[in-house]
Amino acid sequence: MKSVFKIVVVLMVFASVVSCQKNSRPNYQFMPNMYEPVSYEAYQESDAFPGGVEAQLPAEGSIPRGGHMPFEIANTNDGYQLAKSSLMSPLDSTQIDRLRAGQLYDIYCGICHGKKGDGKGTLVKREKILGVPSYDDAGRAITQGSIYHTIYYGKNAMGSYANQLNEEERWQVVNYVLELKADLEK
Amino acid sequence: MKKSYQSLEDNPTNNMIQVIYRHLASKIPYLGLVILLTFSTSLSAQEGDPVKGKTIFNTNCASCHNLDRKMTGPALRNVESRLEDEQGLGRDWLDKWIRNSAGLIKSGDAYANQVYNEYNGTAMTAFPQLEDQDISDILAYTAEPAKEKVVVDEVTSGGGGSSEGGISSKLILGALAILFALLAIALILVRKTLNRFAEEKGIEAAQKDKSLPIWKAFVQNQFLVLVTVIFFLLASAYFVYGYLSQIGVDQGYEPVQPIHYSHRIHAGDNGIDCKYCHSSARVSKHSGIPSLNICMNCHKSIYQVADETQQEGMDEYGVDYNAEIQKLYKAVGWDEAEQTYTGVTEPVKWIRIHNLPDFAYFNHSQHVEVAGVQCQTCHGPVEEMEVMYQHAPLTMGWCINCHRETNVNVEGNAYYTKIHDELSKKYGVDKLTAAQMGGLECGKCHY
């Protein structure tokens, strides 16, 4: 009987050691000063900023390197109409990269608008998001300017994609959407 | 005896009958309402088909309107009868509004302007393509009574069924455990009785030899002791080495995040591309944690999960997904009732899982965009993870292994054609691995 008791004790100790391995906390580090950066890392917490968030928006009016100029048209109905009638794509035919635009479209737009732009993306088919219009919708009659305005600010239930696509990528997508629209109208 | 048994059996059936009656009773007025409403619409205009209306509503209206919730535009349940009762406006006003709301506002119509201003001057898209019949169908759909009660019933009954399944499997396990315990006890008892029989009959159980105990014999054999000591030293060295080499390796790290986000639902079930949310993986060193406005791209309109999803979350993972969406709304400062941002936000303290030490440089865009490596190659089957964990060890050996095995796509890359040709000649191969292009040089990652 004594040996049984011993075996049980050993098994229990083993089980408790094994169960102590927790995946909810990170492992030990050897010499962490080689691991932790001295400078700020992305998303680091810091007392220097309000809310303790190190990731901050750039100051208003700052222009990123690479020459993306600020978008001047306002996020209003008038701004939308202005963009619809007057805003033109800065890309000429040599700068249009259909392959890349298609990839970007499939990632960011196709999930709702559908790969063909008919408003039947995966999320619409699964009835998660409803009311996505087809690009050839007569009442909307989208133009390149209105598409850009919508990508930049969002419209109705659609959010802004200004932080996921940069200016050049947005115009590439606009061009791709116009192509899809033309295909749908055929 | 029989009586009590019968009465026991009678009771549940009685209850069942009552339940059925209650459902029927609650459905009769609904049915009446449906019939009434369909007749009332057929009196004022052409008869509308609520089923067709639902399809038209979902494709055209649902981006801004919900039946029972304010979204970009107002809730539309019973819109026709409400307009009639509250504003005295008939179907012709609705037709005008739907086909060209801007025109109606410009014409100076009082109620049109009131609604326009109430919704902060959001212009409703014109739908000139909708026929009279389409609008009738939509209105028939909006006139359908809410189905909430039925939904709740389904949810509770579904919950009962699945929890029963859980109980039954537990019952089976418990029964098995008891069975094994009984068997063990029986064996012990059998042994005891056999021993007693032996004693009574005067038979001595096989006697132990009085020779050397085994441990003494072992100690006396020096060779055996030497071999055992070497064996134990090697074994402990193996385990110590294993323990030391996993220090600082966080494979399997699975922290509890402040908002339970299921990659399984988003990337798996709904098939959203990784780069939809982690868009900076395309263009920067970091694959960023998405800011909450990206969540709100969809969750502005998805304010609760489907009932089956909710049930699955409660049963299998113990997570209330709808409560997690509310956490998101709180953090981002979204007022559901008013459908506006309050401006009061609180940052979510996500816990970073994949973290290379500072002395190693890694760039996402290089791997994702240039090399075209799938996210799953390093991050594992994220689309199946309910809780995100670190799949790969992220050790140097692991990096180098991949660099040795992965062929670089050199085709169609005019910029590097010459160097690719020369390297191919040098190594005598058609396809170059990342290692052959210098992917093992120390300075590539450590500087």
Short mmCIF file of all heavy atoms in Angstrom, two decimals, chain A residues 23-28 34-35 37 41 43 45 53 77 104 107-108 111 126 128 130-131 137 139-140 156-157 159 161 163-164 169, chain B residues 58 62-64 116 121 125-126 129 246 248-250 252-254 269-271 275-276 279 282 288-289 297 300 302 349 358-359:
data_model
loop_
_atom_site.label_atom_id
_atom_site.label_comp_id
_atom_site.label_asym_id
_atom_site.label_seq_id
_atom_site.Cartn_x
_atom_site.Cartn_y
_atom_site.Cartn_z
N ASN A 23 -0.12 29.13 -20.83
CA ASN A 23 0.13 29.80 -22.10
C ASN A 23 -0.36 31.23 -22.09
O ASN A 23 -0.25 31.93 -23.07
CB ASN A 23 -0.54 29.02 -23.23
CG ASN A 23 0.30 27.84 -23.64
OD1 ASN A 23 1.52 27.86 -23.47
ND2 ASN A 23 -0.33 26.81 -24.15
N SER A 24 -0.95 31.64 -20.96
CA SER A 24 -1.52 32.99 -20.95
C SER A 24 -0.48 34.03 -20.57
O SER A 24 -0.78 35.21 -20.57
CB SER A 24 -2.70 33.04 -19.99
OG SER A 24 -2.27 32.68 -18.71
N ARG A 25 0.70 33.61 -20.20
CA ARG A 25 1.74 34.62 -19.96
C ARG A 25 2.99 34.25 -20.78
O ARG A 25 3.22 33.07 -21.06
CB ARG A 25 2.07 34.75 -18.48
CG ARG A 25 2.53 33.47 -17.85
CD ARG A 25 3.01 33.73 -16.43
NE ARG A 25 3.11 32.53 -15.65
CZ ARG A 25 4.01 31.56 -15.83
NH1 ARG A 25 4.88 31.66 -16.81
NH2 ARG A 25 4.02 30.49 -15.07
N PRO A 26 3.77 35.27 -21.17
CA PRO A 26 4.93 34.97 -21.99
C PRO A 26 6.00 34.23 -21.21
O PRO A 26 6.00 34.23 -19.98
CB PRO A 26 5.43 36.36 -22.43
CG PRO A 26 4.86 37.30 -21.46
CD PRO A 26 3.59 36.71 -20.95
N ASN A 27 6.90 33.60 -21.92
CA ASN A 27 7.96 32.81 -21.30
C ASN A 27 9.00 33.72 -20.64
O ASN A 27 9.01 34.93 -20.85
CB ASN A 27 8.62 31.96 -22.39
CG ASN A 27 9.30 30.75 -21.82
OD1 ASN A 27 9.49 30.66 -20.62
ND2 ASN A 27 9.66 29.83 -22.69
N TYR A 28 9.88 33.11 -19.85
CA TYR A 28 10.97 33.88 -19.26
C TYR A 28 11.93 34.32 -20.36
O TYR A 28 12.07 33.66 -21.38
CB TYR A 28 11.75 33.04 -18.26
CG TYR A 28 10.89 32.56 -17.11
CD1 TYR A 28 10.48 31.24 -17.05
CD2 TYR A 28 10.48 33.45 -16.14
CE1 TYR A 28 9.67 30.82 -16.01
CE2 TYR A 28 9.69 33.02 -15.09
CZ TYR A 28 9.28 31.71 -15.03
OH TYR A 28 8.49 31.29 -14.02
N MET A 34 18.60 42.89 -23.83
CA MET A 34 18.89 42.72 -25.25
C MET A 34 17.59 42.56 -26.05
O MET A 34 17.59 42.63 -27.27
CB MET A 34 19.74 41.46 -25.47
CG MET A 34 21.14 41.56 -24.92
SD MET A 34 22.22 42.43 -26.04
CE MET A 34 22.40 41.24 -27.36
N TYR A 35 16.51 42.28 -25.35
CA TYR A 35 15.24 42.01 -26.03
C TYR A 35 14.39 43.27 -26.16
O TYR A 35 13.73 43.49 -27.15
CB TYR A 35 14.45 40.96 -25.24
CG TYR A 35 14.89 39.54 -25.48
CD1 TYR A 35 16.18 39.14 -25.17
CD2 TYR A 35 14.01 38.60 -26.00
CE1 TYR A 35 16.57 37.84 -25.37
CE2 TYR A 35 14.40 37.30 -26.20
CZ TYR A 35 15.69 36.92 -25.89
OH TYR A 35 16.09 35.63 -26.10
N PRO A 37 13.47 47.09 -26.61
CA PRO A 37 14.07 48.22 -27.30
C PRO A 37 14.21 49.44 -26.40
O PRO A 37 13.43 49.61 -25.46
CB PRO A 37 13.09 48.50 -28.43
CG PRO A 37 11.80 48.01 -27.92
CD PRO A 37 12.09 46.85 -27.02
N GLU A 41 8.60 51.59 -29.34
CA GLU A 41 8.15 50.63 -30.34
C GLU A 41 6.73 50.99 -30.75
O GLU A 41 6.01 51.69 -30.01
CB GLU A 41 8.15 49.22 -29.76
CG GLU A 41 9.49 48.54 -29.94
CD GLU A 41 9.31 47.08 -30.26
OE1 GLU A 41 8.81 46.33 -29.41
OE2 GLU A 41 9.70 46.68 -31.37
N TYR A 43 2.95 51.03 -30.99
CA TYR A 43 1.88 50.68 -30.04
C TYR A 43 2.34 50.60 -28.59
O TYR A 43 1.65 50.05 -27.76
CB TYR A 43 1.22 49.35 -30.40
CG TYR A 43 0.75 49.26 -31.81
CD1 TYR A 43 1.33 48.40 -32.70
CD2 TYR A 43 -0.29 50.07 -32.26
CE1 TYR A 43 0.91 48.33 -34.00
CE2 TYR A 43 -0.73 50.00 -33.56
CZ TYR A 43 -0.12 49.13 -34.42
OH TYR A 43 -0.54 49.05 -35.72
N GLU A 45 3.13 51.65 -24.77
CA GLU A 45 2.47 52.53 -23.83
C GLU A 45 3.49 53.58 -23.37
O GLU A 45 4.66 53.26 -23.21
CB GLU A 45 2.00 51.71 -22.63
CG GLU A 45 0.67 52.15 -22.08
CD GLU A 45 0.18 51.21 -21.02
OE1 GLU A 45 0.55 50.03 -21.04
OE2 GLU A 45 -0.58 51.67 -20.17
N VAL A 53 -1.16 56.38 -24.94
CA VAL A 53 -0.98 55.71 -26.22
C VAL A 53 0.17 56.35 -26.97
O VAL A 53 0.16 57.57 -27.18
CB VAL A 53 -2.26 55.82 -27.08
CG1 VAL A 53 -2.14 54.97 -28.32
CG2 VAL A 53 -3.46 55.39 -26.27
N ASN A 77 -22.67 66.72 -48.36
CA ASN A 77 -23.39 66.45 -49.61
C ASN A 77 -22.86 67.30 -50.74
O ASN A 77 -22.68 66.83 -51.86
CB ASN A 77 -24.88 66.72 -49.44
CG ASN A 77 -25.53 65.67 -48.56
OD1 ASN A 77 -25.06 64.53 -48.51
ND2 ASN A 77 -26.57 66.05 -47.86
N LEU A 104 -5.93 44.86 -54.64
CA LEU A 104 -6.39 45.76 -53.58
C LEU A 104 -7.91 45.75 -53.50
O LEU A 104 -8.50 45.70 -52.42
CB LEU A 104 -5.90 47.19 -53.83
CG LEU A 104 -4.40 47.40 -53.67
CD1 LEU A 104 -4.02 48.79 -54.13
CD2 LEU A 104 -3.99 47.21 -52.22
N ILE A 107 -9.20 42.67 -51.76
CA ILE A 107 -8.99 42.66 -50.31
C ILE A 107 -9.99 43.59 -49.62
O ILE A 107 -10.68 43.19 -48.68
CB ILE A 107 -7.55 43.12 -49.97
CG1 ILE A 107 -6.54 42.10 -50.46
CG2 ILE A 107 -7.41 43.31 -48.46
CD1 ILE A 107 -5.10 42.57 -50.31
N TYR A 108 -10.06 44.83 -50.10
CA TYR A 108 -10.76 45.85 -49.33
C TYR A 108 -12.21 46.06 -49.75
O TYR A 108 -13.04 46.42 -48.93
CB TYR A 108 -10.01 47.19 -49.42
CG TYR A 108 -8.65 47.09 -48.79
CD1 TYR A 108 -7.51 47.03 -49.57
CD2 TYR A 108 -8.52 46.99 -47.42
CE1 TYR A 108 -6.26 46.89 -48.99
CE2 TYR A 108 -7.28 46.84 -46.83
CZ TYR A 108 -6.16 46.80 -47.62
OH TYR A 108 -4.94 46.64 -47.04
N ILE A 111 -15.03 42.05 -50.54
CA ILE A 111 -15.68 41.29 -49.48
C ILE A 111 -17.16 41.70 -49.33
O ILE A 111 -17.99 40.87 -48.99
CB ILE A 111 -14.88 41.46 -48.15
CG1 ILE A 111 -15.36 40.50 -47.09
CG2 ILE A 111 -14.89 42.88 -47.66
CD1 ILE A 111 -14.96 39.08 -47.28
N ARG A 126 -23.71 36.07 -47.09
CA ARG A 126 -23.96 35.48 -45.78
C ARG A 126 -24.90 36.33 -44.94
O ARG A 126 -25.09 36.08 -43.75
CB ARG A 126 -22.64 35.30 -45.05
CG ARG A 126 -21.76 34.22 -45.66
CD ARG A 126 -20.39 34.22 -45.03
NE ARG A 126 -20.47 34.02 -43.59
CZ ARG A 126 -20.48 32.83 -43.01
NH1 ARG A 126 -20.42 31.76 -43.74
NH2 ARG A 126 -20.56 32.72 -41.70
N LYS A 128 -24.56 39.22 -43.66
CA LYS A 128 -23.98 39.95 -42.55
C LYS A 128 -24.15 41.45 -42.79
O LYS A 128 -24.42 42.20 -41.88
CB LYS A 128 -22.48 39.63 -42.40
CG LYS A 128 -22.17 38.17 -42.28
CD LYS A 128 -22.68 37.59 -40.97
CE LYS A 128 -22.50 36.10 -40.94
NZ LYS A 128 -23.29 35.46 -39.90
N LEU A 130 -26.03 44.18 -45.48
CA LEU A 130 -27.07 44.20 -46.51
C LEU A 130 -27.08 45.55 -47.22
O LEU A 130 -26.52 46.52 -46.74
CB LEU A 130 -28.44 43.96 -45.87
CG LEU A 130 -28.59 42.59 -45.20
CD1 LEU A 130 -29.88 42.52 -44.42
CD2 LEU A 130 -28.56 41.49 -46.25
N GLY A 131 -27.75 45.56 -48.35
CA GLY A 131 -27.98 46.83 -49.03
C GLY A 131 -26.77 47.35 -49.77
O GLY A 131 -26.64 48.55 -49.95
N ASP A 137 -25.74 50.99 -60.49
CA ASP A 137 -26.99 51.52 -59.96
C ASP A 137 -27.30 52.88 -60.59
O ASP A 137 -26.49 53.80 -60.54
CB ASP A 137 -26.84 51.66 -58.44
CG ASP A 137 -28.13 52.06 -57.78
OD1 ASP A 137 -28.95 51.18 -57.55
OD2 ASP A 137 -28.30 53.27 -57.53
N GLY A 139 -29.59 55.19 -59.85
CA GLY A 139 -29.85 56.32 -58.97
C GLY A 139 -28.57 56.95 -58.45
O GLY A 139 -28.52 58.14 -58.17
N ARG A 140 -27.51 56.15 -58.33
CA ARG A 140 -26.25 56.69 -57.81
C ARG A 140 -25.40 57.26 -58.93
O ARG A 140 -24.78 58.28 -58.75
CB ARG A 140 -25.49 55.61 -57.06
CG ARG A 140 -26.13 55.29 -55.72
CD ARG A 140 -25.42 54.15 -55.02
NE ARG A 140 -25.95 53.92 -53.68
CZ ARG A 140 -27.02 53.20 -53.41
NH1 ARG A 140 -27.71 52.67 -54.39
NH2 ARG A 140 -27.43 53.04 -52.17
N ASN A 156 -22.88 56.47 -45.97
CA ASN A 156 -23.91 55.67 -45.30
C ASN A 156 -23.26 54.61 -44.40
O ASN A 156 -22.50 54.95 -43.51
CB ASN A 156 -24.85 55.04 -46.33
CG ASN A 156 -25.58 56.09 -47.13
OD1 ASN A 156 -25.75 57.21 -46.66
ND2 ASN A 156 -26.01 55.74 -48.32
N ALA A 157 -23.51 53.33 -44.68
CA ALA A 157 -22.96 52.30 -43.79
C ALA A 157 -21.50 52.01 -44.08
O ALA A 157 -20.83 51.37 -43.30
CB ALA A 157 -23.78 51.02 -43.91
N GLY A 159 -17.60 52.58 -44.32
CA GLY A 159 -16.65 53.41 -43.59
C GLY A 159 -15.59 53.99 -44.51
O GLY A 159 -15.54 53.68 -45.70
N TYR A 161 -11.96 54.40 -46.10
CA TYR A 161 -10.81 53.52 -46.34
C TYR A 161 -9.53 54.33 -46.53
O TYR A 161 -8.56 53.84 -47.10
CB TYR A 161 -11.09 52.60 -47.54
CG TYR A 161 -12.03 51.50 -47.15
CD1 TYR A 161 -13.37 51.75 -46.98
CD2 TYR A 161 -11.56 50.24 -46.87
CE1 TYR A 161 -14.23 50.77 -46.55
CE2 TYR A 161 -12.41 49.24 -46.44
CZ TYR A 161 -13.74 49.52 -46.28
OH TYR A 161 -14.59 48.54 -45.84
N ASN A 163 -7.36 55.21 -44.44
CA ASN A 163 -6.16 54.78 -43.73
C ASN A 163 -5.69 53.40 -44.17
O ASN A 163 -4.65 52.95 -43.75
CB ASN A 163 -6.37 54.82 -42.21
CG ASN A 163 -7.30 53.73 -41.76
OD1 ASN A 163 -8.07 53.19 -42.56
ND2 ASN A 163 -7.26 53.41 -40.49
N GLN A 164 -6.46 52.71 -45.00
CA GLN A 164 -6.00 51.42 -45.47
C GLN A 164 -5.37 51.51 -46.87
O GLN A 164 -4.59 50.66 -47.25
CB GLN A 164 -7.16 50.42 -45.52
CG GLN A 164 -7.45 49.83 -44.14
CD GLN A 164 -8.91 49.56 -43.93
OE1 GLN A 164 -9.69 50.50 -43.86
NE2 GLN A 164 -9.30 48.31 -43.84
N GLU A 169 -3.05 54.39 -54.31
CA GLU A 169 -3.82 53.13 -54.31
C GLU A 169 -5.30 53.39 -54.46
O GLU A 169 -6.01 52.66 -55.16
CB GLU A 169 -3.55 52.36 -53.01
CG GLU A 169 -2.15 51.76 -52.95
CD GLU A 169 -1.79 51.27 -51.57
OE1 GLU A 169 -2.44 51.69 -50.58
OE2 GLU A 169 -0.84 50.50 -51.46
N ASN B 58 -33.43 44.33 -49.00
CA ASN B 58 -32.05 43.99 -48.63
C ASN B 58 -31.05 44.49 -49.65
O ASN B 58 -29.93 44.84 -49.29
CB ASN B 58 -31.90 42.47 -48.48
CG ASN B 58 -32.43 42.00 -47.15
OD1 ASN B 58 -32.74 42.81 -46.28
ND2 ASN B 58 -32.54 40.70 -46.98
N ALA B 62 -31.29 48.32 -47.24
CA ALA B 62 -30.74 47.88 -45.96
C ALA B 62 -29.41 48.51 -45.61
O ALA B 62 -28.98 48.42 -44.47
CB ALA B 62 -30.60 46.36 -45.95
N SER B 63 -28.74 49.15 -46.57
CA SER B 63 -27.47 49.79 -46.19
C SER B 63 -27.72 50.97 -45.27
O SER B 63 -26.84 51.36 -44.53
CB SER B 63 -26.70 50.22 -47.44
OG SER B 63 -27.42 51.18 -48.14
N CYS B 64 -28.90 51.56 -45.32
CA CYS B 64 -29.17 52.71 -44.46
C CYS B 64 -30.36 52.49 -43.52
O CYS B 64 -30.52 53.24 -42.56
CB CYS B 64 -29.45 53.95 -45.28
SG CYS B 64 -28.11 54.39 -46.38
N TYR B 116 -35.14 65.51 -43.37
CA TYR B 116 -33.79 65.79 -43.89
C TYR B 116 -32.93 66.44 -42.81
O TYR B 116 -31.78 66.05 -42.58
CB TYR B 116 -33.92 66.70 -45.11
CG TYR B 116 -32.62 67.06 -45.78
CD1 TYR B 116 -31.86 66.08 -46.43
CD2 TYR B 116 -32.16 68.37 -45.78
CE1 TYR B 116 -30.69 66.41 -47.06
CE2 TYR B 116 -30.98 68.72 -46.41
CZ TYR B 116 -30.24 67.73 -47.05
OH TYR B 116 -29.07 68.05 -47.68
N GLY B 121 -28.95 66.30 -42.52
CA GLY B 121 -28.76 66.59 -43.93
C GLY B 121 -28.13 65.46 -44.71
O GLY B 121 -27.36 65.69 -45.64
N THR B 125 -30.30 58.36 -51.27
CA THR B 125 -30.07 58.06 -52.67
C THR B 125 -31.41 57.95 -53.40
O THR B 125 -32.37 57.41 -52.84
CB THR B 125 -29.34 56.72 -52.80
OG1 THR B 125 -28.28 56.71 -51.86
CG2 THR B 125 -28.81 56.52 -54.18
N ALA B 126 -31.45 58.47 -54.61
CA ALA B 126 -32.69 58.37 -55.39
C ALA B 126 -32.80 56.97 -55.99
O ALA B 126 -31.80 56.38 -56.40
CB ALA B 126 -32.67 59.42 -56.49
N GLN B 129 -35.35 53.73 -60.41
CA GLN B 129 -35.59 52.47 -61.12
C GLN B 129 -36.65 51.61 -60.44
O GLN B 129 -37.06 50.60 -61.01
CB GLN B 129 -34.26 51.69 -61.25
CG GLN B 129 -33.79 51.02 -59.98
CD GLN B 129 -32.97 51.95 -59.10
OE1 GLN B 129 -33.16 53.17 -59.12
NE2 GLN B 129 -32.07 51.40 -58.30
N GLN B 246 14.49 26.72 -24.61
CA GLN B 246 13.16 27.28 -24.86
C GLN B 246 12.95 28.58 -24.09
O GLN B 246 11.88 29.18 -24.19
CB GLN B 246 12.07 26.26 -24.57
CG GLN B 246 12.00 25.72 -23.15
CD GLN B 246 11.23 26.61 -22.21
OE1 GLN B 246 10.17 27.10 -22.55
NE2 GLN B 246 11.78 26.84 -21.03
N GLY B 248 12.80 32.29 -23.53
CA GLY B 248 12.64 33.38 -24.48
C GLY B 248 11.87 32.98 -25.73
O GLY B 248 11.67 33.81 -26.62
N VAL B 249 11.45 31.74 -25.82
CA VAL B 249 10.64 31.31 -26.97
C VAL B 249 9.19 31.24 -26.50
O VAL B 249 8.88 30.57 -25.53
CB VAL B 249 11.09 29.93 -27.48
CG1 VAL B 249 10.17 29.45 -28.58
CG2 VAL B 249 12.51 30.01 -27.99
N ASP B 250 8.33 31.96 -27.19
CA ASP B 250 6.94 32.09 -26.73
C ASP B 250 5.97 31.28 -27.57
O ASP B 250 4.80 31.64 -27.67
CB ASP B 250 6.53 33.56 -26.74
CG ASP B 250 7.22 34.33 -25.64
OD1 ASP B 250 7.44 33.74 -24.58
OD2 ASP B 250 7.54 35.51 -25.85
N GLY B 252 3.18 29.12 -28.66
CA GLY B 252 1.98 28.70 -27.93
C GLY B 252 1.45 29.76 -26.99
O GLY B 252 0.45 29.55 -26.33
N TYR B 253 2.10 30.92 -26.95
CA TYR B 253 1.65 32.02 -26.09
C TYR B 253 0.24 32.45 -26.51
O TYR B 253 0.00 32.75 -27.67
CB TYR B 253 2.65 33.17 -26.20
CG TYR B 253 2.32 34.40 -25.41
CD1 TYR B 253 1.69 34.32 -24.19
CD2 TYR B 253 2.67 35.67 -25.89
CE1 TYR B 253 1.40 35.46 -23.46
CE2 TYR B 253 2.40 36.81 -25.18
CZ TYR B 253 1.76 36.70 -23.96
OH TYR B 253 1.48 37.83 -23.26
N GLU B 254 -0.67 32.45 -25.57
CA GLU B 254 -2.08 32.64 -25.89
C GLU B 254 -2.73 33.52 -24.83
O GLU B 254 -3.48 33.04 -23.98
CB GLU B 254 -2.75 31.26 -25.91
CG GLU B 254 -4.14 31.23 -26.47
CD GLU B 254 -4.67 29.80 -26.48
OE1 GLU B 254 -4.13 28.95 -25.74
OE2 GLU B 254 -5.61 29.54 -27.22
N ASP B 269 -14.83 31.91 -41.19
CA ASP B 269 -16.22 31.79 -41.68
C ASP B 269 -16.54 32.85 -42.72
O ASP B 269 -17.14 32.57 -43.75
CB ASP B 269 -17.20 31.92 -40.51
CG ASP B 269 -17.07 30.75 -39.55
OD1 ASP B 269 -16.32 29.82 -39.90
OD2 ASP B 269 -17.71 30.76 -38.49
N ASN B 270 -16.16 34.10 -42.43
CA ASN B 270 -16.55 35.18 -43.33
C ASN B 270 -15.53 35.45 -44.43
O ASN B 270 -15.78 36.24 -45.33
CB ASN B 270 -16.80 36.46 -42.54
CG ASN B 270 -18.08 36.38 -41.73
OD1 ASN B 270 -19.09 35.86 -42.23
ND2 ASN B 270 -18.05 36.83 -40.51
N GLY B 271 -14.37 34.81 -44.33
CA GLY B 271 -13.39 34.91 -45.40
C GLY B 271 -12.86 36.32 -45.64
O GLY B 271 -12.56 36.68 -46.77
N LYS B 275 -5.25 41.04 -44.85
CA LYS B 275 -4.75 42.39 -45.09
C LYS B 275 -5.86 43.43 -45.05
O LYS B 275 -5.59 44.62 -45.11
CB LYS B 275 -4.01 42.44 -46.43
CG LYS B 275 -2.65 41.77 -46.35
CD LYS B 275 -2.04 41.55 -47.71
CE LYS B 275 -2.37 40.18 -48.23
NZ LYS B 275 -1.81 39.88 -49.53
N TYR B 276 -7.12 42.98 -44.98
CA TYR B 276 -8.19 43.96 -44.81
C TYR B 276 -7.97 44.72 -43.51
O TYR B 276 -8.03 45.94 -43.48
CB TYR B 276 -9.55 43.26 -44.80
CG TYR B 276 -10.70 44.23 -44.68
CD1 TYR B 276 -11.36 44.68 -45.81
CD2 TYR B 276 -11.10 44.72 -43.44
CE1 TYR B 276 -12.39 45.58 -45.71
CE2 TYR B 276 -12.13 45.62 -43.34
CZ TYR B 276 -12.77 46.04 -44.47
OH TYR B 276 -13.79 46.96 -44.38
N SER B 279 -3.69 46.04 -42.68
CA SER B 279 -3.31 46.59 -43.98
C SER B 279 -1.86 47.05 -43.99
O SER B 279 -1.24 47.09 -45.04
CB SER B 279 -4.23 47.74 -44.36
OG SER B 279 -4.17 48.74 -43.39
N ARG B 282 1.26 45.27 -45.70
CA ARG B 282 1.65 45.44 -47.10
C ARG B 282 2.76 46.47 -47.25
O ARG B 282 3.57 46.36 -48.18
CB ARG B 282 0.45 45.94 -47.92
CG ARG B 282 -0.65 44.94 -48.09
CD ARG B 282 -1.67 45.45 -49.08
NE ARG B 282 -2.32 46.67 -48.60
CZ ARG B 282 -2.23 47.85 -49.17
NH1 ARG B 282 -1.52 47.99 -50.27
NH2 ARG B 282 -2.85 48.89 -48.67
N GLY B 288 0.28 46.01 -38.50
CA GLY B 288 -0.31 46.75 -37.39
C GLY B 288 -1.52 46.06 -36.79
O GLY B 288 -2.20 45.28 -37.45
N ILE B 289 -1.75 46.37 -35.53
CA ILE B 289 -3.02 46.00 -34.93
C ILE B 289 -4.03 46.99 -35.47
O ILE B 289 -3.82 48.20 -35.37
CB ILE B 289 -2.93 46.10 -33.39
CG1 ILE B 289 -1.87 45.16 -32.88
CG2 ILE B 289 -4.28 45.79 -32.77
CD1 ILE B 289 -1.47 45.43 -31.46
N ASN B 297 -15.99 49.67 -39.63
CA ASN B 297 -16.38 49.58 -41.03
C ASN B 297 -17.55 48.61 -41.18
O ASN B 297 -18.47 48.84 -41.95
CB ASN B 297 -15.22 49.07 -41.89
CG ASN B 297 -14.29 50.20 -42.30
OD1 ASN B 297 -14.61 51.36 -42.09
ND2 ASN B 297 -13.15 49.86 -42.86
N LYS B 300 -20.47 48.93 -37.55
CA LYS B 300 -21.45 50.01 -37.53
C LYS B 300 -22.82 49.41 -37.83
O LYS B 300 -23.81 49.79 -37.22
CB LYS B 300 -21.07 51.02 -38.62
CG LYS B 300 -21.37 52.44 -38.28
CD LYS B 300 -20.73 53.32 -39.34
CE LYS B 300 -21.56 54.54 -39.60
NZ LYS B 300 -21.02 55.33 -40.71
N ILE B 302 -23.25 45.81 -38.12
CA ILE B 302 -23.39 44.50 -37.47
C ILE B 302 -23.31 44.72 -35.97
O ILE B 302 -22.24 44.75 -35.39
CB ILE B 302 -22.31 43.52 -37.94
CG1 ILE B 302 -22.38 43.36 -39.45
CG2 ILE B 302 -22.48 42.17 -37.27
CD1 ILE B 302 -21.27 42.53 -40.01
N LYS B 349 -6.25 47.96 -24.71
CA LYS B 349 -4.88 47.51 -24.46
C LYS B 349 -4.71 46.08 -24.98
O LYS B 349 -4.68 45.13 -24.20
CB LYS B 349 -4.58 47.56 -22.97
CG LYS B 349 -4.44 48.97 -22.44
CD LYS B 349 -3.93 48.93 -21.01
CE LYS B 349 -3.80 50.35 -20.48
NZ LYS B 349 -3.34 50.36 -19.11
N ASP B 358 14.67 42.75 -29.75
CA ASP B 358 15.05 43.99 -30.42
C ASP B 358 16.27 43.82 -31.31
O ASP B 358 16.48 44.60 -32.23
CB ASP B 358 15.33 45.07 -29.36
CG ASP B 358 15.35 46.44 -29.98
OD1 ASP B 358 14.49 46.67 -30.85
OD2 ASP B 358 16.20 47.25 -29.60
N PHE B 359 17.10 42.78 -31.06
CA PHE B 359 18.33 42.64 -31.86
C PHE B 359 18.08 41.94 -33.20
O PHE B 359 18.99 41.73 -33.96
CB PHE B 359 19.42 41.91 -31.05
CG PHE B 359 19.01 40.59 -30.48
CD1 PHE B 359 18.86 39.49 -31.30
CD2 PHE B 359 18.75 40.45 -29.12
CE1 PHE B 359 18.46 38.28 -30.78
CE2 PHE B 359 18.36 39.23 -28.60
CZ PHE B 359 18.22 38.14 -29.43
#
